[in-house]
């Protein structure tokens, strides 16, 4: 696992602990856009709670433990992939969603299941906000002056 996966792991842990926190949601979506997960190179899903999900990982330890528990995982080529591409794969194959860092025991603070539809909605909502804030219109001289004004007020 490289530094980038650990940043995604940290963002995921914070979001799971505080799903209603705006900044944690924003950080997670930004991380999903920019930091790869470890996933099978080819379409690969497992049955979980009666639904087919794609397992993805933010660290090698959880992946190694998963491979020990699921013999079918040993034959997969596990690579770093874009979370968005893996989500698109789940939608295309009509799978229930993505399961992050699935495990039977240990530290569950970074383990969760996202339904495909809910993850698409989360990503779209926060991406729209990011685009609005970071778009060219938001960085006009007037907008920057207003931002600086509010920064001075709240210091």
């Amino acid at each position: 696992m490289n530094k980038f996966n650990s940043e995604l792991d940290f963002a995921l842990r914070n979001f799971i602990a505080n799903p209603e926190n705006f900044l944690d949601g924003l950080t997670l979506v930004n991380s999903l856009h920019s930091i790869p997960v470890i996933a099978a190179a080819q379409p690969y899903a497992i049955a979980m709670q009666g639904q087919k999900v794609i397992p993805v990982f933010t660290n090698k330890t959880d992946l190694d433990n998963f491979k020990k528990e699921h013999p079918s995982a040993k034959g997969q080529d596990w690579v770093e992939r874009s979370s968005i591409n893996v989500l698109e794969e789940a939608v295309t194959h009509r799978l229930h969603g993505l399961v992050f860092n699935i495990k039977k025991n240990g530290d569950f603070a970074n383990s969760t299941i996202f339904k495909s539809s809910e993850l698409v909605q989360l990503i779209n909502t926060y991406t729209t906000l990011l685009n609005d804030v970071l778009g060219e219109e938001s960085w006009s001289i007037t907008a920057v002056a207003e931002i600086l004004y509010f920064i001075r007020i709240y210091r």
Side-chain angles (χ1 to χ4, degrees):
M1 179 175 74
N2 62 35
K3 171 186 156 203
F4 298 110
N5 294 110
S6 63
E7 290 175 12
L8 174 57
D9 190 75
F10 181 76
L12 181 63
R13 287 172 184 276
N14 286 338
F15 180 78
I16 291 169
N18 302 299
E20 300 299 320
N21 184 293
F22 173 77
L23 292 178
D24 288 336
L26 194 64
T27 301
L28 176 63
V29 169
N30 184 56
S31 296
L32 291 172
H33 275 293
S34 58
I35 302 170
V37 292
I38 304 169
Q42 299 298 318
Y44 173 72
I46 60 169
M48 186 173 181
Q49 300 174 351
Q51 302 289 335
K52 291 272 190 173
V53 293
I54 297 177
V56 296
F57 299 90
T58 58
N59 65 70
K60 191 159 176 7
T61 301
D62 286 341
L63 170 62
D64 290 342
N65 289 333
F66 175 76
K67 287 166 49 173
K68 289 176 189 172
E69 296 168 356
H70 292 83
S72 65
K74 292 178 186 173
Q76 298 297 317
D77 182 23
W78 295 89
V79 297
E80 289 191 349
R81 295 182 56 197
S82 160
S83 303
I84 306 303
N85 290 345
V86 177
L87 177 58
E88 288 175 7
E89 184 177 291
V91 171
T92 300
H93 290 93
R94 299 178 188 255
L95 301 175
H96 183 72
L98 306 183
V99 58
F100 282 78
N101 302 307
I102 183 173
K103 58 190 94 167
K104 291 184 179 177
N105 53 47
D107 176 12
F108 293 99
N110 66 347
S111 298
T112 193
I113 298 174
F114 283 107
K115 282 178 60 177
S116 295
S117 59
E118 292 173 355
L119 189 53
V120 166
Q121 182 179 2
L122 178 77
I123 290 170
N124 285 342
T125 299
Y126 280 100
T127 300
T128 299
L129 289 170
L130 282 170
N131 288 340
D132 288 346
V133 170
L134 299 176
E136 286 184 32
E137 293 173 11
S138 297
W139 294 102
S140 67
I141 297 299
T142 306
V144 172
E146 290 173 2
I147 291 169
L148 292 174
Y149 171 77
F150 285 114
I151 289 172
R152 279 185 249 125
I153 288 175
Y154 292 106
R155 276 191 175 180

